[in-house]
Amino acid sequence: MAEQTTSYAVFHDEPFSELHGHASQAVVSADEQWIAVSSVLQGSSRVALFHAADLSCAHLLTFTMDAESIAFHPTLPLLVVGLDNYDEYRREGGLTLFEPGTGHRVDFADPAWGIEPVRWLDDRTLELTFFALHPDDEYTHLMSRATVVRDNWLGLTPDALDLTALYRTPLDPDGPSLYDDIPPAQPLLRELAERAGRTYDARGGVRAVAGLRDGRVLATRMHTAVECWAPDGSLLWSVPAPSASGGTRIELAADERTVRVAVSGPDSRTRTDFPLVATSDGTVLDRPSVPFSAALSARTDGVWAIRDTYDRSFGTEPPTPPNTRIFAADGTRLGGVQEPDRYDLVPLDVRRCPELLYGRRGREVIALDPTGTIETALFTVDAPLGRAVYTDDAAGPALLHGRTELVRRAFPSGEILWSRPLDSEVKDLDTHAGALYALCLDGTLVSCDTADGTFLGRRALPPYGPLSLHAAPDGTILVGTAAGQILRLPADSRPPTGPAGR
């Protein structure tokens, strides 16, 4: 089935949405017609070019290396991008030249050196700074600098420049900072947005989103534990977070009157809060906290648990017993489990499940009772489940889960009833009215029938960076993005049209 045309509405619609959330560097062309912004996320980089007049995106360049360093030519409509893979064992990089007016692009590779930063010294001279691994000391980096001089920089061909042949002057790695003259991106982008009559707060990263029965939407984002949006897209209330990372998980009570959120502290290794918030007005009813990093999981009756995720390679040990703690919905302590090797018992990320599910030694799936004293072995797996959601439909109770394929398992036996391969890794998934929705890292939303795996559709989403997914009670599909938008999409129409397929 071909990709469907995606119709959607947006909460928190801001400019520069095509970035991977945080902007690394922003520059403006000499004629002030173009804005270029770089952003990096987990080894994937984007450089977006916008029309300065209305902030619409004209070009989106993607890279598999870090592409933080960008610079416009002093007079020409020409952007240069420095590339560096930052690999500790096999450093490489490159240089890209792009002409936004014509779309002409040319790439030059360096198999042993990363390039950052890039600077124009004048309209003929481009300065490049190179980084490489020291052949005899893995903790030391080599640095050098080269210049490229040309009378004409437009319309270059792939054979116009050989980076490996440039004469390079060695630099002292402990010398002055190379980045002091590069201004931060956010103030410039806010100023450019104001000139165009827009606002830009750069508090993206919607790591969790949830729709309520009355059409309101809960979400987390940078500096925010949880916030609430009205159906018309206006912000109703917001609970600030103690750190830039904001909330990381939302667990909504069955009656939707309260929500429990996991929130990292200023130092994510030494504090995690789990505030209970009234959905009516954002009042914080309770704020339990632990002095280490911890993950939140819950079951449908409101019982919730935290698991110590403290990185033992940093600092001092947190209090050890127990490293899994279980609570009633109101925060009353019910029980816990202390594992000598805490990685022997890992919570599974399962949505809408009546049980607290854990993986024992990476293979056995167990249900843990609220006291933490009884483990019920359910089934074994050959590989991690990935994201999962519990359903109880016409075909019976089941776990639907996915990483690079979608799978339905009978619950609690774990028998695989069907599986469907995917073209991309699953970022998040949820179900509604017999449809399973999978948010994929390639920027698509795939859906199939929960009962038999019949393919329902694939929708291409805007390039805003998919982060989180929730199927609201009315069937609206909510997608949180790295850029900060919350997309509202209609549910897939059923029955499916066209053949089943990948």
Side-chain angles (χ1 to χ4, degrees):
M1 181 184 293
E3 287 185 354
Q4 304 167 5
T5 300
T6 305
S7 60
Y8 60 90
V10 182
F11 287 124
H12 195 73
D13 190 18
E14 286 195 327
F16 314 118
S17 303
E18 291 74 12
L19 304 178
H20 277 315
H22 180 76
S24 300
Q25 189 177 352
V27 292
V28 180
S29 62
D31 60 7
E32 298 187 344
Q33 299 299 305
W34 299 99
I35 302 167
V37 191
S38 62
S39 62
V40 179
L41 179 66
Q42 297 176 346
S44 175
S45 297
R46 289 180 175 178
V47 176
L49 289 100
F50 304 90
H51 294 287
D54 60 5
L55 306 185
S56 61
C57 184
H59 304 283
L60 185 60
L61 312 181
T62 60
F63 304 89
T64 56
M65 299 184 187
D66 284 11
E68 293 182 281
S69 182
I70 57 177
F72 270 114
H73 188 276
T75 59
L76 300 172
L78 172 67
L79 181 76
V80 295
V81 181
L83 303 172
D84 192 339
N85 72 347
Y86 284 99
D87 193 289
E88 296 181 4
Y89 304 101
R90 189 176 181 275
R91 199 72 173 257
E92 61 180 305
L95 183 71
T96 292
L97 279 69
F98 185 77
E99 301 170 32
T102 64
H104 177 70
R105 171 177 172 170
V106 61
D107 300 282
F108 306 100
D110 191 309
W113 295 74
I115 299 177
E116 185 186 355
V118 294
R119 288 186 176 89
W120 291 99
L121 301 183
D122 54 51
D123 59 2
R124 298 176 64 245
T125 309
L126 176 65
E127 180 186 80
L128 306 174
T129 302
F130 293 84
F131 289 80
L133 303 174
H134 195 287
D136 302 318
D137 185 354
E138 62 179 310
Y139 300 105
T140 301
H141 290 84
L142 302 177
M143 294 175 55
S144 62
R145 180 169 290 160
T147 56
V148 184
V149 180
R150 294 185 64 93
D151 292 324
N152 183 10
W153 280 96
L154 296 179
L156 298 189
T157 59
D159 60 354
L161 178 60
D162 182 357
L163 295 176
T164 64
L166 296 178
Y167 174 77
R168 304 175 187 183
T169 302
L171 298 176
D172 182 0
D174 298 322
S177 172
L178 304 173
Y179 310 96
D180 287 345
D181 62 344
I182 299 177
Q186 304 302 341
L188 175 59
L189 294 179
R190 281 194 287 268
E191 177 185 343
L192 294 169
E194 290 175 1
R195 290 183 194 176
R198 305 280 299 277
T199 59
Y200 180 63
D201 64 23
R203 294 190 304 112
V206 180
R207 298 174 66 181
V209 63
L212 306 184
R213 296 186 187 96
D214 60 9
R216 289 179 297 155
V217 175
L218 303 177
T220 66
R221 70 178 65 248
M222 290 177 62
H223 298 287
T224 302
V226 63
E227 62 189 16
C228 183
W229 296 82
D232 65 3
S234 59
L235 183 64
L236 296 175
W237 52 259
S238 179
V239 177
S243 68
S245 62
T248 60
R249 177 112 180 203
I250 289 175
E251 292 293 348
L252 186 63
D255 61 9
E256 297 190 349
R257 298 176 62 182
T258 59
V259 62
R260 180 81 62 180
V261 188
V263 187
S264 299
D267 181 343
S268 61
R269 297 192 301 271
T270 59
R271 174 181 165 189
T272 310
D273 296 340
F274 299 95
L276 181 67
V277 180
T279 58
S280 59
D281 57 8
T283 299
V284 178
L285 305 175
D286 187 25
R287 195 188 291 270
S289 182
V290 292
F292 48 84
S293 60
L296 171 67
S297 58
R299 65 184 199 180
T300 48
D301 65 357
V303 170
W304 57 285
I306 65 170
R307 186 256 188 173
D308 165 19
T309 58
Y310 189 86
D311 190 336
R312 295 296 193 270
S313 65
F314 292 95
T316 59
E317 292 282 317
T320 52
N323 47 34
T324 295
R325 308 179 187 188
I326 306 173
F327 305 86
D330 62 2
T332 302
R333 179 77 170 271
L334 298 177
V337 180
Q338 172 61 25
E339 289 287 331
D341 183 349
R342 62 203 173 113
Y343 295 107
D344 278 351
L345 187 68
V346 177
L348 303 182
D349 192 355
V350 185
R351 176 175 270 151
R352 300 194 181 98
C353 189
E355 302 285 356
L356 289 175
L357 296 187
Y358 286 76
R360 169 66 75 183
R361 297 179 182 88
R363 290 183 54 84
E364 189 176 41
V365 175
I366 67 166
L368 189 63
D369 85 312
T371 66
T373 60
I374 301 175
E375 295 182 7
T376 303
L378 303 181
F379 55 89
T380 59
V381 294
D382 295 327
L385 297 181
R387 299 305 299 266
V389 59
Y390 174 88
T391 188
D392 191 354
D393 54 21
L399 283 184
L400 296 151
H401 62 90
R403 297 178 68 206
T404 57
E405 62 181 353
L406 298 177
V407 179
R408 179 183 177 111
R409 291 178 183 268
F411 190 85
S413 71
E415 176 190 359
I416 295 178
L417 303 176
W418 58 258
S419 64
R420 170 170 291 282
L422 293 173
D423 294 323
S424 177
E425 186 175 347
V426 173
K427 181 67 176 178
D428 203 353
L429 51 76
D430 203 358
T431 62
H432 183 269
L436 172 64
Y437 296 91
L439 183 65
C440 299
L441 289 180
D442 64 358
T444 62
L445 181 68
V446 174
S447 58
C448 63
D449 190 286
T450 60
D452 59 14
T454 299
F455 183 75
L456 297 178
R458 178 185 290 107
R459 285 182 268 185
L461 302 175
Y464 300 162
L467 278 185
S468 55
L469 176 75
H470 186 256
D474 65 357
T476 300
I477 308 304
L478 302 170
V479 176
T481 70
Q485 284 78 6
I486 303 169
L487 310 181
R488 295 183 293 177
L489 299 90
D492 274 317
S493 59
R494 306 179 75 214
T497 58
R502 289 185 71 176

